[in-house]
Amino acid sequence: VIALTGGIAAGKSTVARRWRERGAVIIDADALAREAVAPGSAGLEAIVERFGDQVLDEHGALDRGALGRRVFADESERSALNAIVHPEVQRLYREAVARARATDPAALIVYDVPLLAEARERDEFGPVVVVDAPAQTRVQRLVEHRGMTEQEARERVAAQATDEERRALADIVLDASGALEQTLEHADEVWSVLSSRASVG
């Protein structure tokens, strides 16, 4: 499984979309994380047991704001949450990989995972591709495209692993610092390298 990672607003989603067009099976870590705590899930049940039903909204779904206020202020609370959510996400990931392999044994599977440097082991995967853009470029994109203030954008970028920490995990660094067309060109170049490696393997 190819791991695709990158900091917020680096261009990772753009690369994932392009690779899907090229035939990749994309497994989205964010979607798995939402599924792990969906209403009726074992994950949500365990969260309510640990944190109480004040972390639910009026429809019985997870109130992310209420839970966030609890866990971001207290490291032990955050660890307790991770101990519930991470194993569920891992289980869903393994199921998604098994489904993809059963459907098409030759497919290239890409795990689109924002927090690889923060939350997963490097050696769980085959090649790791890091989508890379300088922190200042990413701050600018968050301000222009997601309506954040510069302060908010800087805080979001600073809360993640550093560019150096991410690059240290990379087998391939995909430069996404330029215009969209350049990023797509680089995505195509990297995809053809990965595809030819897979066919040789």
Side-chain angles (χ1 to χ4, degrees), residues 148-161:
M148 291 186 189
T149 66
E150 185 157 341
Q151 178 65 30
E152 286 168 339
R154 289 192 182 288
E155 283 169 5
R156 291 294 290 276
V157 167
Q160 294 187 332

Side-chain angles (χ1 to χ4, degrees), residues 74-85:
D74 181 332
E75 191 147 337
S76 68
E77 296 275 80
R78 193 157 65 245
S79 298
L81 176 65
N82 288 341
I84 294 167
V85 176

Side-chain angles (χ1 to χ4, degrees), residues 2-135:
I2 298 154
L4 176 67
T5 192
I8 188 170
K12 184 175 59 59
S13 300
T14 299
V15 173
R17 275 194 301 275
R18 184 62 152 204
W19 287 359
R20 181 178 272 124
E21 290 165 11
R22 297 281 179 264
V25 174
I26 306 288
I27 298 173
D28 181 346
D30 285 340
L32 296 186
R34 285 192 295 275
E35 192 182 332
V37 297
S41 67
L44 185 58
E45 215 170 279
I47 286 171
V48 171
E49 203 171 294
R50 170 65 178 74
F51 295 96
D53 55 14
Q54 61 270 33
V55 298
L56 296 176
D57 66 18
E58 66 273 21
H59 307 294
L62 185 64
D63 181 338
R64 290 172 186 279
L67 183 61
R69 286 188 290 279
R70 284 277 294 276
V71 302
F72 285 113
D74 181 332
E75 191 147 337
S76 68
E77 296 275 80
R78 193 157 65 245
S79 298
L81 176 65
N82 288 341
I84 294 167
V85 176
H86 287 175
E88 276 300 293
V89 171
Q90 286 274 37
R91 182 181 65 75
L92 292 167
Y93 163 76
R94 285 193 297 271
E95 285 175 6
V97 170
R99 272 196 309 275
R101 290 208 168 116
T103 307
D104 179 1
L108 283 187
I109 302 169
V110 176
Y111 192 40
D112 176 354
V113 55
L115 302 180
L116 181 69
E118 295 86 340
R120 299 294 292 262
E121 295 302 316
R122 160 68 187 85
D123 56 11
E124 280 181 68
F125 304 102
V128 172
V129 178
V130 172
V131 179
D132 191 49

